[in-house]
Amino acid sequence: MNRRQVALPGLGDAGSMVLRGVASFARHHKVITGSYLFGILVIVLAGTGSRLTLEQRREYNSIMDTIDLQAEFEASRRYAIVHQAYRTSAGWFTCDSLCTRNKQRMEREKSNLDAIRREGHARMSDAKAVAGLFSEVGVLEAKDKFWSHFNRGQQFAKRQSMWDAMFIGIRSMGRDENMIQYVLNVVLQVLLNFSMGLMLALVMFIF
């Protein structure tokens, strides 16, 4: 019996497929896509969001007050201690009985910390649902996320530009290019890297 073999796409191919799908949707739904992007950018860059009513603010604060920050702090502290103990007792390629015990303790503390954080995030989601996406709370969070992704895009562009400048210099020496040509190539590559970085930041923020 012949068996069919299904070839799964690689990470790069999967990313390309997603981008093609997004581009196809944008081409066929220009008004929806344009309105969505414009609305998000206006809110993030210029908007402040709608003010919470007294009842919304009371309910929002009531839910947020149930988040046990002290428990998360203590769980983080315990995890840091046992994680350091495990790293100290672990060998290069071996793990003796002491190392194994420390690893088990570390995994228990990590599981406990993750559970506390999941509970906290769930309560934060409940509080944000009360406030609403376009409230002052939702818009402030969206702004924070946008600028966080924006900074990551800038860091990506800076790192990539540093490597590109080095490789362009190596290629220029082999081609006998002068300094002006080298500088122009570097400038163009830097502009391309920053454009790519900012586009990736925008895509990650939206999706």
Side-chain angles (χ1 to χ4, degrees):
M1 180 182 296
N2 292 330
R3 294 184 179 179
R4 291 185 177 179
Q5 292 183 348
V6 179
L8 297 177
L11 184 59
D13 295 334
S16 299
M17 290 170 61
V18 172
L19 289 176
R20 285 198 298 269
V22 171
S24 176
F25 179 87
R27 284 196 302 269
H28 290 88
H29 303 83
K30 295 179 181 178
V31 175
I32 296 175
T33 304
S35 301
Y36 178 71
L37 294 177
F38 180 75
I40 287 180
L41 289 178
V42 168
I43 289 173
V44 170
L45 299 177
T48 57
S50 59
R51 295 181 62 85
L52 298 179
T53 65
L54 183 61
E55 183 63 29
Q56 283 179 314
R57 187 170 296 279
R58 184 182 297 114
E59 188 174 357
Y60 174 83
N61 291 334
S62 176
I63 297 174
M64 291 296 290
D65 287 341
T66 63
I67 300 176
D68 196 342
L69 298 178
Q70 183 63 30
E72 182 176 351
F73 172 78
E74 288 296 330
S76 298
R77 184 182 63 83
R78 290 195 302 269
Y79 172 71
I81 292 173
V82 296
H83 181 263
Q84 183 60 38
Y86 165 69
R87 292 188 59 183
T88 301
S89 61
W92 284 98
F93 302 105
T94 59
C95 188
D96 58 16
S97 58
L98 175 62
C99 168
T100 301
R101 288 196 299 272
N102 287 336
K103 183 179 180 181
Q104 292 172 346
R105 291 173 56 204
M106 180 189 70
E107 291 173 346
R108 286 196 300 269
E109 294 297 341
K110 181 67 166 60
S111 178
N112 181 53
L113 176 59
D114 289 342
I116 292 175
R117 284 178 173 171
R118 282 195 301 270
E119 178 66 20
H121 290 160
R123 296 188 184 187
M124 286 179 64
S125 296
D126 292 340
K128 292 172 188 175
V130 170
L133 177 62
F134 297 103
S135 66
E136 53 188 336
V137 175
V139 171
L140 179 61
E141 183 187 14
K143 285 183 177 182
D144 290 340
K145 287 185 177 180
F146 175 81
W147 291 116
S148 174
H149 288 305
F150 181 84
N151 290 331
R152 291 181 187 176
Q154 282 187 320
Q155 293 300 320
F156 164 81
K158 289 177 181 178
R159 289 194 302 269
Q160 192 63 34
S161 297
M162 180 186 67
W163 288 107
D164 286 338
M166 183 180 68
F167 288 119
I168 290 174
I170 295 174
R171 290 197 301 268
S172 297
M173 287 187 294
R175 296 175 182 174
D176 253 353
E177 293 180 354
N178 56 38
M179 181 58 68
I180 295 178
Q181 290 174 313
Y182 167 73
V183 171
L184 288 176
N185 286 333
V186 170
V187 169
L188 290 175
Q189 193 62 45
V190 168
L191 292 175
L192 177 62
N193 289 337
F194 271 89
S195 299
M196 288 178 57
L198 297 182
M199 285 298 297
L200 286 173
L202 182 60
V203 169
M204 287 189 295
F205 167 72
I206 293 174
F207 298 101

